[in-house]
Structures are given as C-alpha cells and as structure tokens.
Amino acid sequence: NVFGVQVFVACHSVLQLSQLLVSGYMKSSISTIERRYGLSSQKSGLLAAFNEVGNTLLIVFVSFLGSHVHRPRAIGCGALLACLASLLMALPHFVSGPYRYGERLSAPFAFQA
C-alpha cells in the first residue's frame, strides 16, 4: 500500500511538472502565434484566457466530485484531458508547415472579427 502511494505521488509530480511546462510554453509562444496567424492581441489574449478558464472549471468539477469518486482515477482522467488539451494547443505548429519570417498565414480555424 505504501508503494502505491509513492507511485501515485511520483506520477502526480510528473503531471504537475508537465502542466507547468505547458503553461510556460503557452505564455511564451502566444506572441509567435499572434504574428504567424495575424491575430490581434485581444484574440490571442482570449485564447490564453480560455486555457485558464478551462483549468478553473475542471478544478471546480473535480473538487465537487472529489468525495464521490475514486480520486486517483479522477486525477488520471484529468491528466488525459490535460494531455489532449496540450496536443490541441500545439496542433497549429504541426498543420501549418515551417515558419517563414515576414509571411502571414491564414488561420486554420475560423476566427473572424
């Protein structure tokens, strides 16, 4: 049982580290996304805000159900959801090809003002 707790703590530590890295990546790459896709600062700020709002809603949901569900499984499902969200945030870099300085690409999503 003690071994299970140690494995859980180790996995949770890796999860927290990866969330920290994704958060830092998002904050550092937002200006690149802005330039590359011709987004205004308002739209790119909105993208960053949606990331934080999503995290907050997930925390509220997990906190509410925390006493009714198996907590390690709920944390594991949240980790998988965070993994999918991280892949979704990185997706524009993979679908739009190499970046050329001075060239503006059209966004692969409909984000018209």
Side-chain angles (χ1 to χ4, degrees), residues 39-83:
L39 298 176
S40 66
S41 294
Q42 181 181 12
K43 289 178 183 176
S44 61
L46 193 62
L47 287 173
F50 280 152
N51 182 35
E52 299 301 325
V53 168
N55 286 339
T56 304
L57 289 176
L58 187 62
I59 288 170
V60 169
F61 182 70
V62 169
S63 297
F64 178 72
L65 292 179
S67 62
H68 305 301
V69 296
H70 190 260
R71 286 185 199 125
R73 284 191 192 130
I75 291 171
C77 290
L80 291 175
L81 187 62
C83 176

